[in-house]
Amino acid sequence: MVIELPTQQIPPDDLFRDIVAIDLEQAVRTIFLVNDLGETPIRRFLTEVGRPFLTQPVDPAELHDLVLRVGLQERAE
């Protein structure tokens, strides 16, 4: 799952907590796209959840590679 931050409808920590509650397997396959790492709450959130992220603008090949690595890595474990 790829989620762009910040979200307008729900704080990222609430969103991720809901994903974990619904499907932990999906939560460990989540990748975030970030518009601005200058925002302290976003940096704090990314540090706390420990999921991979890319900053915008995203290179499509880099995103594709990350999605494959995260998906395959989690299946192997």
Side-chain angles (χ1 to χ4, degrees), residues 6-18:
T7 60
Q8 298 301 322
Q9 296 79 14
I10 184 171
D13 51 340
D14 291 346
L15 173 64
F16 194 68
R17 189 177 313 113
D18 289 348

Side-chain angles (χ1 to χ4, degrees), residues 2-7 31-38 42 46 53-60 62-63:
V2 178
I3 299 173
E4 185 174 351
L5 297 177
T7 60
I31 296 168
F32 293 98
L33 301 181
V34 183
N35 290 319
D36 185 6
L37 282 176
I42 297 295
L46 291 169
F53 66 91
L54 295 172
T55 56
Q56 304 258 17
V58 174
D59 174 7
E62 188 178 6
L63 176 59

Side-chain angles (χ1 to χ4, degrees), residues 6-77:
T7 60
Q8 298 301 322
Q9 296 79 14
I10 184 171
D13 51 340
D14 291 346
L15 173 64
F16 194 68
R17 189 177 313 113
D18 289 348
I19 294 168
V20 169
I22 293 168
D23 189 344
L24 182 58
E25 184 177 331
Q26 186 65 47
V28 297
R29 292 185 181 168
T30 300
I31 296 168
F32 293 98
L33 301 181
V34 183
N35 290 319
D36 185 6
L37 282 176
E39 295 183 34
T40 302
I42 297 295
R43 282 196 324 264
R44 185 178 310 121
F45 167 75
L46 291 169
T47 300
E48 289 173 2
V49 298
R51 300 304 313 142
F53 66 91
L54 295 172
T55 56
Q56 304 258 17
V58 174
D59 174 7
E62 188 178 6
L63 176 59
H64 180 261
D65 180 59
L66 183 58
V67 167
L68 287 178
R69 283 188 292 125
V70 168
L72 293 175
Q73 176 186 16
E74 299 303 335
R75 283 188 202 164
E77 292 177 353

